[in-house]
Amino acid sequence: MSQLNIAVVVGSIRKESFNRQFAEALVKQFPADVKAQFIRIDDLPLYNQDDDGNPAPQVTRLREEIKAADAVLFVTAEYNRSIPGVLKNAIDHASRPWGQSVWGGKPAGVVGVSPGAPGTSMAQQHLRNVLSFLAMPTLGQPEMFIQWKDGLVENGVIGAASKEFVQGYVDAFVAWVKKHA
């Protein structure tokens, strides 16, 4: 396998999203043979089964981008102790119609940051349940429930205090993808 293509799905669409900033800094630690593609989810219509036969162009784009990826890295915020609705909407669109999911078999990683001390632990657990149903082999260890603090991301890169920890996750994730892709 020469070049790995990782789809990065950020579960927060806020303009100054901590998770977007973290994801953009994290992918800079990928090895040279790994390419990250950020997947747009903010323009998707709400999932409606009535539209399965005639999906919006944005849904078709999402499905094609996930199909083209070797793996998926989910970087999720936590809203009300679960995943953001916009992320669930994207997951639903790419898993439907029944029997035509583009997620199945894609190795996955789940990380996230939050201003709260528990990071995104509950959101990540809920997301893992969904990914299990979608038949996505998901990296279990190491886990990254990160509290957003000053210095976590500095000038677009992971700050010195967290760089080694994040690199450990990146290395484990890339090995996981190579094993399952």
Side-chain angles (χ1 to χ4, degrees):
M1 182 172 285
S2 56
Q3 173 90 29
L4 283 177
N5 295 306
I6 308 295
V8 180
V9 180
V10 179
S12 171
I13 59 173
R14 186 173 65 87
K15 183 177 169 184
E16 297 296 324
S17 165
F18 295 143
N19 282 279
R20 169 66 67 170
Q21 292 175 57
F22 181 73
E24 289 174 354
L26 180 146
V27 301
K28 290 176 182 172
Q29 293 188 216
F30 280 171
D33 63 341
V34 177
K35 177 185 167 209
Q37 178 185 3
F38 282 81
I39 306 299
R40 184 174 182 191
I41 63 172
D42 67 328
D43 63 340
L44 298 172
L46 291 176
Y47 175 73
N48 180 340
Q49 189 175 3
D50 293 340
D51 298 330
D52 281 355
N54 187 27
Q58 303 93 316
V59 173
T60 301
R61 181 204 68 228
L62 168 72
R63 292 178 58 80
E64 291 303 316
E65 289 174 346
I66 298 302
K67 279 184 198 176
D70 297 307
V72 182
L73 177 64
F74 293 93
V75 184
T76 187
E78 182 169 305
Y79 294 174
N80 299 314
R81 297 287 186 243
S82 191
I83 61 175
V86 69
L87 176 57
K88 182 64 166 70
N89 187 53
I91 291 169
D92 290 346
H93 271 299
S95 70
R96 305 299 294 218
W98 178 256
Q100 297 179 36
S101 174
V102 297
W103 302 111
K106 301 256 182 214
V110 177
V111 300
V113 300
S114 172
T120 61
S121 59
M122 292 298 294
Q124 288 187 40
Q125 186 56 51
H126 287 182
L127 181 54
R128 288 174 186 282
N129 289 342
V130 173
L131 301 182
S132 174
F133 178 77
L134 295 174
M136 295 182 78
T138 305
L139 178 64
Q141 294 290 328
E143 295 176 307
M144 280 206 310
F145 312 124
I146 298 181
Q147 183 176 17
W148 181 268
K149 293 183 177 181
D150 287 342
L152 177 61
V153 175
E154 297 176 328
N155 301 315
V157 297
I158 302 296
S162 300
K163 193 168 194 72
E164 185 178 333
F165 176 71
V166 171
Q167 190 63 55
Y169 181 87
V170 166
D171 294 345
F173 176 62
V174 170
W176 180 259
V177 171
K178 288 179 178 179
K179 178 179 177 183
H180 293 284

